[in-house]
Amino acid sequence: QVKPQFETKTNRICGIYNAIEYRTQVVAGVNYFIKVQVSDAEYVHLKVFEALPYENQGPRLISYQTGKTRDDPLTYF
Protein backbone atom coordinates (compact mmCIF):
# COMPACT_ATOMS: atom_id res chain seq x y z
CA GLN A 1 0.00 0.00 0.00
CA VAL A 2 2.95 2.37 0.42
CA LYS A 3 4.64 1.61 -2.91
CA PRO A 4 3.10 4.67 -4.64
CA GLN A 5 4.21 6.87 -1.71
CA PHE A 6 7.78 5.53 -1.98
CA GLU A 7 7.86 5.97 -5.76
CA THR A 8 6.61 9.55 -5.46
CA LYS A 9 9.13 10.51 -2.76
CA THR A 10 12.07 8.95 -4.63
CA ASN A 11 10.86 9.92 -8.13
CA ARG A 12 11.35 6.41 -9.52
CA ILE A 13 9.27 3.45 -10.66
CA CYS A 14 10.09 0.10 -9.07
CA GLY A 15 9.76 -2.92 -11.33
CA ILE A 16 10.52 -5.16 -8.35
CA TYR A 17 8.96 -4.40 -4.97
CA ASN A 18 9.20 -7.42 -2.65
CA ALA A 19 9.09 -7.19 1.14
CA ILE A 20 11.84 -9.45 2.48
CA GLU A 21 11.76 -8.84 6.23
CA TYR A 22 9.97 -6.65 8.76
CA ARG A 23 9.94 -5.60 12.40
CA THR A 24 7.28 -3.83 14.38
CA GLN A 25 7.25 -1.21 17.12
CA VAL A 26 4.03 -0.57 19.02
CA VAL A 27 3.36 3.14 19.58
CA ALA A 28 0.00 4.95 19.33
CA GLY A 29 -0.48 2.59 16.38
CA VAL A 30 2.29 0.47 14.86
CA ASN A 31 5.56 1.39 13.19
CA TYR A 32 6.69 -1.16 10.63
CA PHE A 33 10.33 -1.33 9.57
CA ILE A 34 10.40 -3.18 6.25
CA LYS A 35 13.27 -4.36 4.06
CA VAL A 36 12.11 -4.18 0.43
CA GLN A 37 13.88 -5.44 -2.68
CA VAL A 38 13.57 -2.80 -5.42
CA SER A 39 15.95 -4.26 -8.03
CA ASP A 40 18.10 -7.36 -8.50
CA ALA A 41 20.77 -6.06 -6.10
CA GLU A 42 19.21 -3.01 -4.41
CA TYR A 43 17.19 -2.92 -1.23
CA VAL A 44 15.58 -0.13 0.76
CA HIS A 45 14.43 0.08 4.35
CA LEU A 46 11.03 1.67 4.92
CA LYS A 47 9.45 3.03 8.09
CA VAL A 48 5.68 2.80 7.76
CA PHE A 49 3.19 4.01 10.37
CA GLU A 50 -0.25 2.46 10.71
CA ALA A 51 -2.62 4.36 12.99
CA LEU A 52 -5.08 2.72 15.35
CA PRO A 53 -8.17 1.29 13.59
CA TYR A 54 -10.60 3.88 14.96
CA GLU A 55 -8.58 6.67 13.29
CA ASN A 56 -9.58 5.23 9.90
CA GLN A 57 -6.29 5.99 8.14
CA GLY A 58 -4.24 3.82 5.83
CA PRO A 59 -0.54 3.05 6.25
CA ARG A 60 1.76 6.04 5.76
CA LEU A 61 5.40 6.05 4.66
CA ILE A 62 7.29 8.02 7.32
CA SER A 63 10.89 7.63 6.12
CA TYR A 64 13.17 5.41 4.10
CA GLN A 65 16.83 4.49 3.66
CA THR A 66 18.21 3.67 0.21
CA GLY A 67 21.39 1.94 -0.94
CA LYS A 68 20.91 -1.12 1.26
CA THR A 69 21.88 -4.72 0.51
CA ARG A 70 20.13 -7.96 1.37
CA ASP A 71 22.63 -8.50 4.21
CA ASP A 72 22.22 -5.09 5.87
CA PRO A 73 20.53 -5.52 9.25
CA LEU A 74 17.04 -4.08 9.56
CA THR A 75 17.20 -1.68 12.50
CA TYR A 76 14.92 0.94 14.00
CA PHE A 77 15.42 4.42 12.51
PDB file of all heavy atoms in Angstrom, residues 2-14 17 61 64:
ATOM      1  N   VAL A   2       2.117   1.164   0.390  1.00  0.00           N
ATOM      2  CA  VAL A   2       2.949   2.370   0.421  1.00  0.00           C
ATOM      3  C   VAL A   2       3.875   2.482  -0.798  1.00  0.00           C
ATOM      4  O   VAL A   2       4.634   3.430  -0.891  1.00  0.00           O
ATOM      5  CB  VAL A   2       3.773   2.474   1.728  1.00  0.00           C
ATOM      6  CG1 VAL A   2       2.865   2.602   2.930  1.00  0.00           C
ATOM      7  CG2 VAL A   2       4.725   1.325   1.872  1.00  0.00           C
ATOM      8  N   LYS A   3       3.789   1.551  -1.714  1.00  0.00           N
ATOM      9  CA  LYS A   3       4.643   1.609  -2.907  1.00  0.00           C
ATOM     10  C   LYS A   3       4.480   2.930  -3.659  1.00  0.00           C
ATOM     11  O   LYS A   3       5.476   3.573  -3.990  1.00  0.00           O
ATOM     12  CB  LYS A   3       4.372   0.421  -3.834  1.00  0.00           C
ATOM     13  CG  LYS A   3       5.242   0.430  -5.082  1.00  0.00           C
ATOM     14  CD  LYS A   3       4.932  -0.737  -5.999  1.00  0.00           C
ATOM     15  CE  LYS A   3       5.785  -0.678  -7.263  1.00  0.00           C
ATOM     16  NZ  LYS A   3       5.407  -1.675  -8.237  1.00  0.00           N
ATOM     17  N   PRO A   4       3.247   3.392  -3.938  1.00  0.00           N
ATOM     18  CA  PRO A   4       3.104   4.674  -4.638  1.00  0.00           C
ATOM     19  C   PRO A   4       3.715   5.838  -3.848  1.00  0.00           C
ATOM     20  O   PRO A   4       4.288   6.751  -4.444  1.00  0.00           O
ATOM     21  CB  PRO A   4       1.589   4.853  -4.781  1.00  0.00           C
ATOM     22  CG  PRO A   4       1.016   3.483  -4.643  1.00  0.00           C
ATOM     23  CD  PRO A   4       1.955   2.747  -3.725  1.00  0.00           C
ATOM     24  N   GLN A   5       3.616   5.807  -2.523  1.00  0.00           N
ATOM     25  CA  GLN A   5       4.212   6.869  -1.707  1.00  0.00           C
ATOM     26  C   GLN A   5       5.730   6.850  -1.852  1.00  0.00           C
ATOM     27  O   GLN A   5       6.366   7.896  -1.994  1.00  0.00           O
ATOM     28  CB  GLN A   5       3.828   6.686  -0.237  1.00  0.00           C
ATOM     29  CG  GLN A   5       2.347   6.858   0.049  1.00  0.00           C
ATOM     30  CD  GLN A   5       2.010   6.502   1.483  1.00  0.00           C
ATOM     31  OE1 GLN A   5       2.667   6.960   2.411  1.00  0.00           O
ATOM     32  NE2 GLN A   5       0.999   5.666   1.677  1.00  0.00           N
ATOM     33  N   PHE A   6       6.334   5.650  -1.827  1.00  0.00           N
ATOM     34  CA  PHE A   6       7.778   5.526  -1.983  1.00  0.00           C
ATOM     35  C   PHE A   6       8.217   6.005  -3.365  1.00  0.00           C
ATOM     36  O   PHE A   6       9.173   6.756  -3.501  1.00  0.00           O
ATOM     37  CB  PHE A   6       8.220   4.082  -1.744  1.00  0.00           C
ATOM     38  CG  PHE A   6       9.686   3.858  -1.998  1.00  0.00           C
ATOM     39  CD1 PHE A   6      10.634   4.329  -1.110  1.00  0.00           C
ATOM     40  CD2 PHE A   6      10.113   3.199  -3.140  1.00  0.00           C
ATOM     41  CE1 PHE A   6      11.995   4.148  -1.361  1.00  0.00           C
ATOM     42  CE2 PHE A   6      11.464   3.009  -3.397  1.00  0.00           C
ATOM     43  CZ  PHE A   6      12.404   3.486  -2.497  1.00  0.00           C
ATOM     44  N   GLU A   7       7.497   5.582  -4.400  1.00  0.00           N
ATOM     45  CA  GLU A   7       7.859   5.966  -5.764  1.00  0.00           C
ATOM     46  C   GLU A   7       7.752   7.480  -5.961  1.00  0.00           C
ATOM     47  O   GLU A   7       8.580   8.083  -6.636  1.00  0.00           O
ATOM     48  CB  GLU A   7       6.986   5.217  -6.768  1.00  0.00           C
ATOM     49  CG  GLU A   7       7.306   3.737  -6.842  1.00  0.00           C
ATOM     50  CD  GLU A   7       6.399   2.957  -7.771  1.00  0.00           C
ATOM     51  OE1 GLU A   7       5.242   3.381  -8.005  1.00  0.00           O
ATOM     52  OE2 GLU A   7       6.848   1.913  -8.265  1.00  0.00           O
ATOM     53  N   THR A   8       6.761   8.100  -5.353  1.00  0.00           N
ATOM     54  CA  THR A   8       6.608   9.551  -5.457  1.00  0.00           C
ATOM     55  C   THR A   8       7.747  10.269  -4.750  1.00  0.00           C
ATOM     56  O   THR A   8       8.339  11.200  -5.299  1.00  0.00           O
ATOM     57  CB  THR A   8       5.251   9.994  -4.866  1.00  0.00           C
ATOM     58  OG1 THR A   8       4.200   9.379  -5.621  1.00  0.00           O
ATOM     59  CG2 THR A   8       5.090  11.502  -4.914  1.00  0.00           C
ATOM     60  N   LYS A   9       8.070   9.840  -3.536  1.00  0.00           N
ATOM     61  CA  LYS A   9       9.126  10.509  -2.763  1.00  0.00           C
ATOM     62  C   LYS A   9      10.502  10.335  -3.394  1.00  0.00           C
ATOM     63  O   LYS A   9      11.343  11.217  -3.281  1.00  0.00           O
ATOM     64  CB  LYS A   9       9.147   9.994  -1.324  1.00  0.00           C
ATOM     65  CG  LYS A   9       7.984  10.509  -0.500  1.00  0.00           C
ATOM     66  CD  LYS A   9       8.109  10.110   0.952  1.00  0.00           C
ATOM     67  CE  LYS A   9       6.938  10.679   1.737  1.00  0.00           C
ATOM     68  NZ  LYS A   9       7.111  10.569   3.169  1.00  0.00           N
ATOM     69  N   THR A  10      10.751   9.201  -4.047  1.00  0.00           N
ATOM     70  CA  THR A  10      12.069   8.954  -4.628  1.00  0.00           C
ATOM     71  C   THR A  10      12.109   9.249  -6.130  1.00  0.00           C
ATOM     72  O   THR A  10      13.158   9.145  -6.734  1.00  0.00           O
ATOM     73  CB  THR A  10      12.511   7.498  -4.395  1.00  0.00           C
ATOM     74  OG1 THR A  10      11.545   6.609  -4.978  1.00  0.00           O
ATOM     75  CG2 THR A  10      12.672   7.204  -2.914  1.00  0.00           C
ATOM     76  N   ASN A  11      10.969   9.598  -6.699  1.00  0.00           N
ATOM     77  CA  ASN A  11      10.865   9.920  -8.126  1.00  0.00           C
ATOM     78  C   ASN A  11      11.401   8.789  -9.006  1.00  0.00           C
ATOM     79  O   ASN A  11      12.228   9.004  -9.896  1.00  0.00           O
ATOM     80  CB  ASN A  11      11.579  11.238  -8.440  1.00  0.00           C
ATOM     81  CG  ASN A  11      11.157  11.800  -9.776  1.00  0.00           C
ATOM     82  OD1 ASN A  11      10.038  11.583 -10.217  1.00  0.00           O
ATOM     83  ND2 ASN A  11      12.050  12.520 -10.429  1.00  0.00           N
ATOM     84  N   ARG A  12      10.948   7.570  -8.717  1.00  0.00           N
ATOM     85  CA  ARG A  12      11.349   6.406  -9.520  1.00  0.00           C
ATOM     86  C   ARG A  12      10.215   5.400  -9.552  1.00  0.00           C
ATOM     87  O   ARG A  12       9.327   5.426  -8.714  1.00  0.00           O
ATOM     88  CB  ARG A  12      12.610   5.765  -8.961  1.00  0.00           C
ATOM     89  CG  ARG A  12      12.407   5.127  -7.589  1.00  0.00           C
ATOM     90  CD  ARG A  12      13.674   4.608  -6.991  1.00  0.00           C
ATOM     91  NE  ARG A  12      14.015   3.299  -7.510  1.00  0.00           N
ATOM     92  CZ  ARG A  12      15.007   2.565  -7.050  1.00  0.00           C
ATOM     93  NH1 ARG A  12      15.775   3.016  -6.085  1.00  0.00           N
ATOM     94  NH2 ARG A  12      15.254   1.391  -7.551  1.00  0.00           N
ATOM     95  N   ILE A  13      10.246   4.532 -10.538  1.00  0.00           N
ATOM     96  CA  ILE A  13       9.273   3.445 -10.661  1.00  0.00           C
ATOM     97  C   ILE A  13      10.017   2.150 -10.356  1.00  0.00           C
ATOM     98  O   ILE A  13      11.069   1.882 -10.924  1.00  0.00           O
ATOM     99  CB  ILE A  13       8.680   3.394 -12.084  1.00  0.00           C
ATOM    100  CG1 ILE A  13       7.992   4.727 -12.439  1.00  0.00           C
ATOM    101  CG2 ILE A  13       7.717   2.222 -12.234  1.00  0.00           C
ATOM    102  CD1 ILE A  13       6.829   5.085 -11.560  1.00  0.00           C
ATOM    103  N   CYS A  14       9.457   1.351  -9.469  1.00  0.00           N
ATOM    104  CA  CYS A  14      10.094   0.100  -9.065  1.00  0.00           C
ATOM    105  C   CYS A  14       9.452  -1.069  -9.803  1.00  0.00           C
ATOM    106  O   CYS A  14       8.276  -1.354  -9.613  1.00  0.00           O
ATOM    107  CB  CYS A  14       9.940  -0.115  -7.560  1.00  0.00           C
ATOM    108  SG  CYS A  14      10.676   1.187  -6.566  1.00  0.00           S
ATOM    109  N   TYR A  17       9.322  -5.016  -6.257  1.00  0.00           N
ATOM    110  CA  TYR A  17       8.962  -4.405  -4.969  1.00  0.00           C
ATOM    111  C   TYR A  17       8.515  -5.532  -4.046  1.00  0.00           C
ATOM    112  O   TYR A  17       7.330  -5.798  -3.897  1.00  0.00           O
ATOM    113  CB  TYR A  17       7.855  -3.369  -5.173  1.00  0.00           C
ATOM    114  CG  TYR A  17       7.651  -2.451  -3.993  1.00  0.00           C
ATOM    115  CD1 TYR A  17       8.443  -1.328  -3.805  1.00  0.00           C
ATOM    116  CD2 TYR A  17       6.647  -2.705  -3.063  1.00  0.00           C
ATOM    117  CE1 TYR A  17       8.253  -0.480  -2.740  1.00  0.00           C
ATOM    118  CE2 TYR A  17       6.443  -1.860  -1.994  1.00  0.00           C
ATOM    119  CZ  TYR A  17       7.248  -0.749  -1.832  1.00  0.00           C
ATOM    120  OH  TYR A  17       7.044   0.090  -0.768  1.00  0.00           O
ATOM    121  N   LEU A  61       3.944   6.126   4.711  1.00  0.00           N
ATOM    122  CA  LEU A  61       5.404   6.054   4.656  1.00  0.00           C
ATOM    123  C   LEU A  61       5.974   7.247   5.415  1.00  0.00           C
ATOM    124  O   LEU A  61       5.751   8.389   5.041  1.00  0.00           O
ATOM    125  CB  LEU A  61       5.890   6.060   3.205  1.00  0.00           C
ATOM    126  CG  LEU A  61       7.399   6.014   2.992  1.00  0.00           C
ATOM    127  CD1 LEU A  61       7.986   4.714   3.542  1.00  0.00           C
ATOM    128  CD2 LEU A  61       7.736   6.168   1.533  1.00  0.00           C
ATOM    129  N   TYR A  64      12.569   6.540   4.813  1.00  0.00           N
ATOM    130  CA  TYR A  64      13.174   5.415   4.096  1.00  0.00           C
ATOM    131  C   TYR A  64      14.673   5.598   4.051  1.00  0.00           C
ATOM    132  O   TYR A  64      15.192   6.712   4.204  1.00  0.00           O
ATOM    133  CB  TYR A  64      12.590   5.281   2.687  1.00  0.00           C
ATOM    134  CG  TYR A  64      12.792   6.499   1.821  1.00  0.00           C
ATOM    135  CD1 TYR A  64      13.929   6.623   1.030  1.00  0.00           C
ATOM    136  CD2 TYR A  64      11.863   7.528   1.810  1.00  0.00           C
ATOM    137  CE1 TYR A  64      14.124   7.739   0.238  1.00  0.00           C
ATOM    138  CE2 TYR A  64      12.053   8.647   1.026  1.00  0.00           C
ATOM    139  CZ  TYR A  64      13.183   8.753   0.246  1.00  0.00           C
ATOM    140  OH  TYR A  64      13.381   9.861  -0.524  1.00  0.00           O
TER     141      TYR A  64
END
